[in-house]
Amino acid sequence: MDLIHPHSKREVVDALRTASASETRVLIIGGRRHIDKGNSSEVDAELWTTVLDDRVAYDPAEMLCVVEAGMRIHDLTAMLAEGGQEWPVDAPRDATVGGVIASGVATIRQLRVGTMRDTIVEMEVVTGDGRLVKSGARTVKNVTGYDVHRLLTGSLGTLGVIVQVALKVRPLPKVTRTSVSDDGGLELGRRVLDAVPLPAAVLAEPERIVVRLEGWPEEVEEQTTAARSIAAFEETDAPFPEACFPEAMIVAEAAVAPSRLEALLAGVGRYRAVVGVGIAWVPFEDEEALTAFRARAAELGGIAPVIRGPGGLGDAAIPAPGVQRRIRAAMDPAGILAPGRAWST
Amino acid sequence: MPNLEAARTELVAALGGDAVLHDPLALRLYARDASMVEGSAGLVVFVRSAEDVVTCMQVAARHDLPVVPRGSGTGLAGGATPLADAIVVVTAKMNRILEVRPDDRLAWVEPGVFNLDLGNALRPTGFTYAPDPSSQQVSSIGGNVNTNAGGPHCLAYGVTSAHVLAVDVVLPDGSIERFGSEAPAAPGYDLRGYVVGSEGTLGIVTAACVRLTPLPPAVRTMLLDFTDVEDCAQTVSAIIARGVVPAALEMMDRGIVRAVEAFAHAGYPTDAAAVLLVEVDGLPAGVDAQTREVEAAAQEHGVGTIRIAADDTERSLLWKGRKSAFGAIARIAPHYHLHDCVVPRKALADVLAGVYAIAQRHDLIVTNVFHAGDGNLHPLFSFDRSVPGTLERVLAASDELVRLCVDAGGSLSGEHGIGLEKRDFMPLVFTAEDLDAQACLRGAFDPDGRMNPRKILPDGARCGDYAAAALGRDGVLPEGTWI
């Protein structure tokens, strides 16, 4: 396996031009934290983005930061904390910004902070054949031209190397509080969601409910009181979010319309579900059980890609396969970027 | 060869004579949207279903005609202005709210539903549809999706794209596809994200699945007045610096305040140099805390009076003033040219000074009412186009304005779109390689270049095999177009 370790955008451009010309298949690597998401792909080389980690611009008054995509989440978090702000994305500390974006990480707190895809306002990407392409703008709002960065978000490294992004950031909440109940289940989770105004997240597990609250001190008090009117909640200082089934062989990340979580998880022994959002993480010991679970997710109009372990994305049909193929061809004409890793067309 | 007559015959046979207009008056009416550009329509078709849209696409393909989708026609950048005898597909009659599902926090709507009607229909469920463009009484969800519309409340809640979970789209080849999902993730590339804001150049949206946002338990609206425009602009940054992201943060200068007050009688202070309309929302305790921070920030910057709306009636009145601004300016002169560009928030004061200087240089009346929290300016030139030479001065001033905003680190458009009006400015912010990539990806949806040709991308943006066939003569708008 060859290793490409570019030190500049120019070197990424040169490397991919060469790779396209020589039909060298390339897997783009950031922090290697989301590497299991996607179908297996045979490649000849790895391209590491981790040296491309400079801070390009950060002015807290603009609520925007511009960083190279190899920057680690913990470095970004520390940089933004100095300005009293955060990139509201729930991702592992040692993941890279580019990896989080390319793998389409689901934001657990999205009821309060929105989705990751809506925080990306500008992107520079190097296409498979080595063109440096920019889209978006460094303003919080913009409708100038086509949002190429939307296609790159969640593209699993099959459309180009994300080398730089401008991110919309937000003020750190004045207070955060995580509370845990002594009882669990989706039905209880839903009642908590209905009772607590504007929570950041309500997580349901079979044995407990975790409520994440963020805001002004008085708000969080009011929300806590509301949660306690439904179940016995105790504050915890455990990190949020906690690691998801760290010992499991396989973890799938299902996505269904929020009201279909009950049907999806009926009879499932272990799960963590984001109530009101429709995301559920479920551990599996073998691929057979995963296959049955996926079939149920599909019946409910959803998907269940694996985020850890073997199993890939599953065989859900994608819309307009011809359009998707042409998009891939437009961005990576030689087809060298992780062939087969994204959804099958 | 384009064959309009054959296309008309087939469309009348398939959709009925009432659905197809081709009389000179209709063609003239639909030759433009709310921009200053006039094009030429070949046929106007009122569709009632996705199947009707499929028929339009098939007929257009058979007879080699371009297709231009149109919602309410309130677009300000020429995105719905047809060129070269296009078939204008009007979605206004597809105006049903199909499903409201509070448990899933979503609703399915047809593209012709008015933005405000959707908000009103949702209110009893305790939810709303957050994007609220100032045109919301008449602009449709389909148009909002295609322009990725904004509005005052997008500061805290985000623009249209953040509120569209899925779209049903008829592609130029006549196929019907669903991009996005009711679920929080969908397989494949995010085609939904590419279609939102694509100004009708990729396909025609026949239904949208929109996100429902809980109505905040408490809302407080404040009107702050200033004797100095710069103080007002700096208060905007000061509020953000205190860690407060208001639901809305709107600025109006003296000229627009006077026009609005004469029209809406909302009690706006007509002697102020500028006012800020600030709205904070959330839980009652959080609203109190945010109000205190806003007041403190304003006092640091020489605020005059701070008026807090006492009840919903007063709140509605203050918003009526803001949202009727573009109607009210008819009192100043018969025509206006409304701009839309975005700059970094900290550049607001300097750019505003530049806007006034440009107006003065070209002897034009300019007023400003805009989304200050987003850095999204809307300078508005008022004029009488029947006075010889006026239009030329407006266009010269507009050109300078765009360059001023780009030089300040800004962008061409915050929420109105590029359409025809700004496409030739695109090279100011994108390289040829950037534009070629955008053209390629557009071609992935529309290989024959049938959808809304010559919009967004300047002539010359090409992509090998994907080159849009309809793009023709270099840099020249076709005959029949005038500005």
Side-chain angles (χ1 to χ4, degrees):
Chain A
M1 178 79 62
D2 286 341
L3 184 62
I4 308 167
H5 211 174
H7 288 64
S8 66
K9 293 173 199 167
R10 192 73 247 166
E11 286 185 17
V12 179
V13 166
D14 292 342
L16 289 185
R17 271 187 195 159
T18 306
S20 270
S22 60
E23 294 186 354
T24 305
R25 297 164 300 175
V26 176
L27 182 66
I28 304 160
I29 299 284
R32 217 180 272 280
R33 291 306 306 262
H34 301 99
I35 204 73
D36 288 353
K37 189 167 177 183
N39 300 319
S40 61
S41 168
E42 233 173 81
V43 295
D44 311 302
E46 287 189 356
L47 185 149
W48 290 14
T49 61
T50 42
V51 182
L52 291 167
D53 65 347
D54 278 354
R55 155 191 181 148
V56 178
Y58 174 44
D59 180 353
E62 297 302 327
M63 293 205 298
L64 288 179
C65 73
V66 186
V67 297
E68 290 187 327
M71 182 180 270
R72 305 271 180 178
I73 295 297
H74 59 79
D75 288 333
L76 178 71
T77 303
M79 178 184 109
L80 295 174
E82 283 175 25
Q85 295 177 333
E86 65 162 347
W87 186 37
V89 167
D90 303 305
R93 285 172 45 78
D94 51 354
T96 60
V97 171
V100 167
I101 294 170
S103 58
V105 163
T107 304
I108 298 171
R109 296 175 292 154
Q110 60 182 267
L111 286 179
R112 182 96 177 175
V113 304
T115 59
M116 186 265 287
R117 68 189 186 200
D118 294 315
T119 66
I120 301 150
V121 298
E122 183 191 73
M123 183 183 283
E124 285 185 18
V125 57
V126 178
T127 61
D129 55 342
R131 289 168 285 140
L132 181 65
V133 169
K134 187 193 79 170
S135 61
R138 287 182 203 178
T139 51
V140 288
K141 201 174 176 188
N142 176 50
V143 293
T144 308
Y146 294 92
D147 287 347
V148 179
H149 47 282
R150 295 271 178 188
L151 296 174
L152 268 290
T153 304
S155 64
L156 298 168
T158 61
L159 295 181
V161 181
I162 300 167
V163 290
Q164 183 177 302
V165 286
L167 305 170
K168 226 163 112 170
V169 298
R170 70 197 306 270
L172 279 166
K174 307 287 174 190
V175 179
T176 62
R177 181 179 291 168
T178 308
S179 300
V180 179
S181 71
D182 60 358
D183 196 5
L186 281 165
E187 196 270 335
L188 181 59
R190 186 163 277 280
R191 283 198 287 133
V192 171
L193 180 69
D194 287 343
V196 179
L198 313 179
V202 176
L203 303 183
E205 297 175 12
E207 310 294 331
R208 63 174 194 166
I209 305 294
V210 179
V211 175
R212 175 71 169 185
L213 303 172
E214 300 184 350
W216 299 81
E218 302 89 335
E219 272 182 325
V220 170
E221 285 307 323
E222 193 177 325
Q223 292 168 316
T224 303
T225 306
R228 287 183 175 153
S229 72
I230 304 298
F233 274 97
E234 288 301 326
E235 191 175 340
T236 169
D237 51 12
F240 182 90
E242 286 180 57
C244 207
F245 308 115
E247 76 303 333
M249 272 280 294
I250 300 173
V251 178
E253 181 179 272
V256 292
S259 69
R260 294 174 192 161
L261 281 172
E262 280 86 349
L264 177 75
L265 298 172
V268 173
R270 297 176 70 206
Y271 61 81
R272 178 185 292 173
V274 191
V275 184
V277 172
I279 293 166
W281 292 278
V282 179
F284 295 95
E285 294 313 315
D286 57 67
E287 290 193 47
E288 203 172 313
L290 171 68
T291 305
F293 180 71
R294 271 187 177 149
R296 193 191 295 178
E299 278 168 27
L300 296 166
I303 52 172
V306 161
I307 57 165
R308 193 167 70 242
L313 298 170
D315 56 1
I318 61 168
V323 172
Q324 309 230 19
R325 274 194 298 270
R326 290 193 289 271
I327 287 171
R328 167 77 191 232
M331 296 297 284
D332 178 25
I336 56 154
L337 296 175
R341 186 169 184 218
W343 301 84
S344 156
T345 61
Chain B
M1 278 293 286
N3 188 341
L4 204 53
E5 196 45 41
R8 187 176 71 82
T9 307
E10 288 178 26
L11 284 167
V12 168
L15 308 179
D18 292 351
V20 185
L21 302 184
H22 70 113
D23 58 284
L25 177 61
L27 296 183
R28 191 74 199 272
L29 278 172
Y30 287 88
R32 59 182 304 173
D33 51 22
S35 70
M36 299 214 300
V37 191
E38 180 152 339
S40 70
L43 287 172
V44 181
V45 186
F46 290 87
V47 288
R48 292 184 178 276
S49 65
E51 290 67 33
D52 286 359
V53 177
V54 170
T55 303
C56 290
M57 292 291 202
Q58 289 168 341
V59 170
R62 215 154 32 234
H63 300 293
D64 194 21
L65 289 162
V67 175
V68 177
R70 178 187 175 102
S72 298
T74 56
L76 289 156
T81 296
L83 300 174
D85 288 343
I87 299 179
V88 179
V89 177
V90 185
T91 55
K93 289 187 194 291
M94 294 179 71
N95 59 357
R96 293 173 302 164
I97 295 173
L98 301 168
E99 268 189 286
V100 177
R101 286 162 39 195
D103 278 356
D104 285 323
R105 298 190 177 216
L106 63 83
W108 276 99
V109 300
E110 290 187 324
V113 173
F114 290 157
N115 176 296
L116 190 63
D117 289 351
L118 176 59
N120 288 339
L122 294 174
R123 189 160 288 274
T125 66
F127 289 91
T128 189
Y129 173 66
D132 60 340
S134 298
S135 58
Q136 68 184 148
Q137 289 186 16
V138 290
S139 67
S140 66
I141 295 297
N144 291 178
V145 167
N146 273 288
T147 51
N148 194 9
H153 287 86
C154 292
L155 176 56
Y157 291 97
V159 294
T160 298
S161 189
H163 301 275
V164 174
L165 300 173
V167 283
D168 285 351
V169 180
V170 177
L171 293 173
D173 66 4
S175 57
I176 305 179
E177 299 281 357
R178 175 163 298 179
F179 298 156
S181 170
E182 293 179 356
Y189 299 130
D190 184 11
L191 305 189
R192 171 210 64 88
Y194 210 65
V195 165
V196 176
S198 64
E199 303 189 39
T201 62
L202 305 180
I204 297 185
V205 172
T206 55
C209 178
V210 299
R211 186 192 297 283
L212 306 190
T213 300
L215 285 166
V219 179
R220 189 163 301 155
T221 308
M222 292 168 265
L223 187 70
L224 287 56
D225 63 55
F226 296 84
T227 52
D228 185 276
V229 174
E230 192 166 339
D231 279 339
C232 185
Q234 285 181 350
T235 301
V236 173
S237 291
I239 291 170
I240 303 287
R242 285 172 170 266
V244 176
V245 182
L249 186 42
E250 300 284 302
M251 184 165 162
M252 298 163 77
D253 71 4
R254 177 178 289 157
I256 202 77
V257 164
R258 288 188 173 171
V260 159
E261 185 53 26
F263 175 83
H265 308 295
Y268 276 50
T270 50
D271 53 344
V275 302
L276 274 185
L277 187 63
V278 187
E279 188 158 282
V280 292
D281 67 15
L283 299 182
V287 165
D288 287 342
Q290 293 180 76
T291 304
R292 284 194 298 274
E293 297 291 335
V294 169
E295 287 172 337
Q299 263 141 17
E300 282 170 12
H301 292 280
V303 67
T305 55
I306 298 176
R307 173 176 160 198
I308 298 181
D311 50 28
D312 275 355
T313 312
E314 192 177 358
R315 179 178 168 241
S316 303
L317 197 58
L318 290 179
W319 274 111
K320 183 186 170 196
R322 165 63 185 88
K323 292 200 173 179
S324 59
F326 300 130
I329 52 95
R331 291 172 169 269
I332 299 175
H335 303 111
Y336 70 76
H337 191 200
L338 174 63
H339 276 272
D340 165 50
C341 46
V342 206
V343 297
R345 214 176 274 114
K346 64 172 181 284
L348 271 180
D350 286 348
V351 170
L352 263 179
V355 168
Y356 292 126
I358 289 171
Q360 198 167 20
R361 218 160 32 239
H362 294 279
D363 192 21
L364 292 165
I365 299 169
V366 69
T367 49
N368 287 280
V369 45
F370 61 98
H371 314 305
D374 292 322
N376 189 184
L377 289 156
H378 286 322
L380 204 154
F381 295 121
S382 298
F383 57 95
D384 181 350
R385 68 193 295 170
S386 67
V387 177
T390 307
L391 204 54
E392 289 71 18
R393 281 187 284 126
V394 170
L395 294 175
S398 302
D399 186 280
E400 285 182 33
L401 194 63
V402 170
R403 290 169 200 276
L404 172 73
C405 293
V406 170
D407 289 346
S411 183
L412 300 181
S413 175
E415 55 184 17
H416 294 173
I418 299 301
L420 280 172
E421 195 186 77
K422 285 185 170 161
R423 53 166 218 162
D424 292 328
F425 290 112
M426 290 283 276
L428 288 181
V429 291
F430 291 117
T431 66
E433 214 157 52
D434 299 338
L435 294 171
D436 287 351
Q438 293 185 24
C440 283
L441 293 166
R442 174 178 177 164
F445 292 81
D446 182 24
D448 298 328
R450 194 167 307 291
M451 287 306 303
N452 214 358
R454 306 188 71 124
K455 306 294 171 68
I456 302 182
L457 296 174
D459 290 350
R462 290 285 195 281
C463 177
D465 296 337
Y466 302 115
L471 292 175
R473 288 158 291 184
D474 289 342
V476 185
L477 291 175
E479 283 171 34
T481 310
W482 57 278
I483 223 172

